[in-house]
Amino acid sequence: MKTPSAAGVSASTSSDAGSDAGSDAGSDAGSDAGSDAGSDRAVRLSLGYKVQWGVAALGTSFVSGTYGALLPIFYQDYLGLTARWIAIASTLYAIWNAINDPLFGYITDSTKSRHGRRIPYMRFTAPFLALTFILVWFAPQNAGQPAIFGWMLATMLLYDTAYTIIGLVYSALLPEISESDAERNGLQISSSLFGLLGMILGFLIPDFFRPKAGMSPSFVPLQVSMIAVGIFSALMIIVTTLRVRERPEFHQGDEPLKLGPAFKYTITSRSFLVLVAQNFMSILMQALLLGAVFYLADYVLQINAMILVACLFVSLIIGVPMTSVLRRRLGVVGSQRLLLLIAGVALISVVVVPTQLIPLCLIAAGFGLAGPQTLTNVLFAQVTDEDELRSGVRREGAFFGVNALLTKPAQSVALALIPFVLEATGFITREANQGQIMLEQPASAIQGIKILAGLIPGAAMILGAIILQWYPLQGAYLQKVQREVLDLHAQKHARQGAGR
């Protein structure tokens, strides 16, 4: 019996692998063998498929990396919006996040269409993502605090709506189009590498065009660059949707759960709740580090920010493919815990080492960040496999939606924490210094920046590693789940074929 296949996917059981070898296996021979239970029956994906899968991450991470790195300094330092207004915007933003992620997750899970329940949302939201991202950077200058606040809030909410739909759908597709830890790890390596490229560009582009000391204070070059970023990112997302195909036994064969049972199955999954708690710590770390890196470069080290970006991302790029090696030796959760500990210790060291050694700490932290960057979605895929055995249907949208509901507030916490810590430690903004950068900040402000970039995110990483000791999907139980979910998929595929 042949298991489900999508465009560019070869999927065969061991009983008919020989008959399929001539037609499919040749193009997909490069797939990881893996050590998953039943991996010989799991869907195999070609290298070309994995590459095109990752292209969407270039688009999403380009806009999100730019947004995360530039938003705090743009609105607080460049436009002079006070911490109080930013905190209000962050709170309202968090409330909207609490609504839209599980809402869109449930909607996509419940969609039944011959075109799929995920891809259409991803493809047709991409232009809207570009438009709303561009508008963020066109706030009216010198219009007063309420007007700047209103623009920031409105554009944040619109941008986040589009980003939520695309990000949620992209994440939810991973467990559907792949069935083994090895294949999922391979897809995540591709999306992580493209995503890292997008994040690097997300630092480079605004750093080239943002106002700096000795430069014109005009925002026009930055705004033009943001238009280009938005359009390019939308096109990259659309490119992936032209290749990826959904599996009809899920979007046509599965009967969606009603809202009540769907919510109950989600919040009663111990595996999911433990993973969400760890992921909250990772999101908090990433948001703080992204938001603080320009401060760390400009005011603590007084070097080009790209040097720090290189320290983080070169080692992160090395670490991403290494997750495959670690996974084969330690398993997915064991590898994740090790890498979280490495990142945590390295980040905490930022506060205590001499200033000139901070780049070395970021190099070590970058390697450790390969875990959250690459393995988290593989763990979520395990969770959805377990849930399919409980509920009978694939519900990736619900899990990623509720995950976002519970973890996205970490972004708002970071967004509000940065200006409050800086104000509390005596940081002097450009707006308060007559529009000129104040490089010689008080010692207390320097320490505040180190705390934001090192101590708090480092502690979050170590706490995340500790939390994962209670993750149930390990060892014999995980192997049992992997075998049983492949049997269930074979049954669904057979029913779908019989119904044609």
Side-chain angles (χ1 to χ4, degrees), residues 147-207:
I148 296 174
F149 159 77
W151 188 278
M152 178 185 183
L153 177 62
T155 55
M156 282 173 61
L157 295 181
L158 291 171
Y159 162 81
D160 182 71
T161 299
Y163 187 83
T164 292
I165 294 172
I166 293 173
L168 188 147
V169 165
Y170 188 47
S171 297
L173 281 169
L174 174 74
E176 290 190 10
I177 64 174
S178 55
E179 295 174 309
S180 70
D181 287 346
E183 290 298 323
R184 289 162 174 171
N185 194 185
L187 286 169
Q188 274 300 116
I189 288 173
S190 175
S191 63
S192 294
L193 291 175
F194 275 107
L196 289 172
L197 174 59
M199 291 181 71
I200 292 171
L201 292 174
F203 281 104
L204 285 174
I205 299 303
D207 192 54

Side-chain angles (χ1 to χ4, degrees), residues 299-385:
Y299 301 107
V300 178
L301 294 166
Q302 297 188 11
I303 60 175
N304 191 305
M306 292 306 102
I307 296 176
L308 293 189
V309 172
C311 290
L312 276 171
F313 284 100
V314 170
S315 57
L316 183 50
I317 290 170
I318 294 171
V320 164
M322 286 296 296
T323 60
S324 181
V325 177
L326 292 173
R327 175 189 56 79
R328 287 193 289 267
R329 294 181 64 87
L330 303 175
V332 181
V333 69
S335 303
Q336 179 84 322
R337 293 186 69 190
L338 174 63
L339 292 167
L340 289 172
L341 288 172
I342 292 172
V345 172
L347 288 171
I348 289 175
S349 300
V350 167
V351 181
V352 297
V353 301
T355 301
Q356 61 269 26
L357 295 182
I358 289 177
L360 295 179
C361 296
L362 295 183
I363 290 172
F367 183 84
L369 297 183
Q373 182 73 21
T374 308
L375 297 176
T376 299
N377 277 6
V378 180
L379 292 170
F380 272 113
Q382 294 177 351
V383 170
T384 57
D385 286 346

Side-chain angles (χ1 to χ4, degrees), residues 21 23 107 110 122 150 157 211 213 216 260 279 285 309 345 354 446 470 490 496:
S23 59
I107 289 173
S110 302
M122 188 173 175
L157 295 181
S216 168
N279 197 37
M285 175 278 302
V309 172
V345 172
I446 298 299
W470 291 287
Q496 182 70 21

Side-chain angles (χ1 to χ4, degrees), residues 60-410:
T60 57
S61 63
F62 198 0
V63 292
S64 64
T66 302
Y67 180 86
L70 193 58
L71 187 73
I73 200 169
F74 182 79
Y75 275 93
Q76 185 193 23
D77 196 11
Y78 297 174
L79 297 179
L81 193 62
T82 64
R84 181 174 68 90
W85 285 112
I86 294 175
I88 294 172
S90 301
T91 301
L92 296 174
Y93 171 82
I95 293 172
W96 173 234
N97 268 331
I99 299 171
N100 68 10
D101 289 289
L103 173 64
F104 292 131
Y106 181 75
I107 289 173
T108 60
D109 279 347
S110 302
T111 298
K112 298 196 70 165
S113 164
R114 64 186 181 89
H115 300 293
R117 58 179 178 170
R118 316 262 190 225
I119 292 295
Y121 291 109
M122 188 173 175
R123 181 179 300 158
F124 296 115
T125 304
F128 186 69
L129 174 68
L131 175 63
T132 54
F133 169 79
I134 290 167
L135 289 175
V136 170
W137 316 109
F138 281 81
Q141 301 176 51
N142 305 316
Q145 295 282 308
I148 296 174
F149 159 77
W151 188 278
M152 178 185 183
L153 177 62
T155 55
M156 282 173 61
L157 295 181
L158 291 171
Y159 162 81
D160 182 71
T161 299
Y163 187 83
T164 292
I165 294 172
I166 293 173
L168 188 147
V169 165
Y170 188 47
S171 297
L173 281 169
L174 174 74
E176 290 190 10
I177 64 174
S178 55
E179 295 174 309
S180 70
D181 287 346
E183 290 298 323
R184 289 162 174 171
N185 194 185
L187 286 169
Q188 274 300 116
I189 288 173
S190 175
S191 63
S192 294
L193 291 175
F194 275 107
L196 289 172
L197 174 59
M199 291 181 71
I200 292 171
L201 292 174
F203 281 104
L204 285 174
I205 299 303
D207 192 54
F208 284 148
F209 296 103
R210 68 189 179 98
K212 299 178 185 176
M215 295 175 55
S216 168
S218 172
F219 291 154
V220 172
L222 178 64
Q223 291 169 334
V224 171
S225 70
M226 293 301 99
I227 293 173
V229 169
I231 294 173
F232 175 82
S233 298
L235 291 175
M236 293 301 98
I237 293 166
I238 292 171
V239 164
T240 291
T241 68
L242 299 177
R243 174 72 183 273
V244 175
R245 296 292 183 270
E246 300 181 52
R247 294 165 59 172
E249 60 267 38
F250 298 148
H251 68 79
Q252 293 180 3
D254 280 352
E255 283 299 322
L257 296 178
K258 298 296 184 181
L259 182 59
F263 182 72
K264 179 180 178 181
Y265 275 117
T266 303
I267 64 170
T268 57
S269 169
R270 179 187 170 194
S271 302
F272 173 68
L273 296 177
V274 171
L275 184 54
V276 165
Q278 181 267 299
N279 197 37
F280 182 94
M281 299 302 160
S282 295
I283 298 297
L284 178 62
M285 175 278 302
Q286 292 171 0
L288 282 172
L289 196 54
L290 281 173
V293 69
F294 283 137
Y295 289 101
L296 195 63
D298 289 353
Y299 301 107
V300 178
L301 294 166
Q302 297 188 11
I303 60 175
N304 191 305
M306 292 306 102
I307 296 176
L308 293 189
V309 172
C311 290
L312 276 171
F313 284 100
V314 170
S315 57
L316 183 50
I317 290 170
I318 294 171
V320 164
M322 286 296 296
T323 60
S324 181
V325 177
L326 292 173
R327 175 189 56 79
R328 287 193 289 267
R329 294 181 64 87
L330 303 175
V332 181
V333 69
S335 303
Q336 179 84 322
R337 293 186 69 190
L338 174 63
L339 292 167
L340 289 172
L341 288 172
I342 292 172
V345 172
L347 288 171
I348 289 175
S349 300
V350 167
V351 181
V352 297
V353 301
T355 301
Q356 61 269 26
L357 295 182
I358 289 177
L360 295 179
C361 296
L362 295 183
I363 290 172
F367 183 84
L369 297 183
Q373 182 73 21
T374 308
L375 297 176
T376 299
N377 277 6
V378 180
L379 292 170
F380 272 113
Q382 294 177 351
V383 170
T384 57
D385 286 346
E386 181 189 43
D387 174 75
E388 187 180 12
L389 297 177
R390 297 172 64 216
S391 67
V393 297
R394 299 295 301 186
R395 301 187 312 110
E396 287 86 356
F399 281 108
F400 282 105
V402 176
N403 167 67
L405 163 66
L406 299 176
T407 59
K408 271 194 174 180

